[in-house]
Amino acid sequence: MVQFLTPPLDLSFAALADATRRGIVERLGRGDASITSLADQFQMTLTGMKKHVQVLERAGLVVTRKIGRVRKCALGKCDLSAEAEWIESCRKLFEARFDALDAIIDEMKQERRDE
């Protein structure tokens, strides 16, 4: 089925799927930075960095503002709580399945001991 709207969760996970973009978010957690300084720090072209920043902006993870001729980047207001909830629900699901598997293995070990 074709989707015309991308849910925010998809945007966040797509943005954070790239190691460079995760690095940008980490860097901006320590303070604002210009796109030029980010490009230098990550050893990439200005155009490449702009594309990464645009992906992060669409997800709400980064905001940019123009100050004179410089475009400054800062962390956005996205708190990632929905993403954390989704990850936690998956963690609980997998934990329950691994617990069930452990129970089966323990049962099999007990049966072998009883033979």
Side-chain angles (χ1 to χ4, degrees):
M1 181 173 144
V2 177
Q3 290 185 340
F4 295 103
L5 296 174
T6 304
L9 202 63
D10 292 348
L11 291 172
S12 297
F13 282 124
L16 295 172
D18 183 84
T20 299
R21 290 192 288 267
R22 289 191 306 272
I24 293 166
V25 170
E26 278 185 41
R27 166 59 188 81
L28 294 176
R30 294 189 299 273
D32 299 357
S34 69
I35 289 181
T36 303
S37 68
L38 289 171
D40 290 343
Q41 183 177 351
F42 288 89
Q43 299 175 348
M44 63 176 26
T45 65
L46 197 54
T47 303
M49 182 54 67
K50 284 179 183 177
K51 289 180 181 181
H52 281 298
V53 168
Q54 285 173 346
V55 171
L56 291 166
E57 265 189 305
R58 270 194 304 269
L61 298 170
V62 170
V63 294
T64 62
R65 64 189 184 285
K66 194 162 183 153
I67 302 173
R69 294 176 54 189
V70 177
R71 184 159 293 280
K72 286 281 196 175
C73 301
L75 287 181
K77 299 210 185 292
C78 181
D79 66 359
L80 297 176
S81 59
E83 292 80 357
E85 277 181 39
W86 185 85
I87 291 169
E88 181 61 17
S89 70
C90 287
R91 187 194 65 75
K92 286 179 181 177
L93 174 70
F94 279 97
E95 190 174 276
R97 295 189 79 180
F98 284 128
D99 288 346
L101 181 59
D102 284 342
I104 291 169
I105 291 171
D106 289 342
E107 186 178 308
M108 291 172 71
K109 285 180 181 178
Q110 187 61 40
E111 288 174 2
R112 280 196 174 165
R113 286 185 204 129
D114 292 345
E115 289 180 353

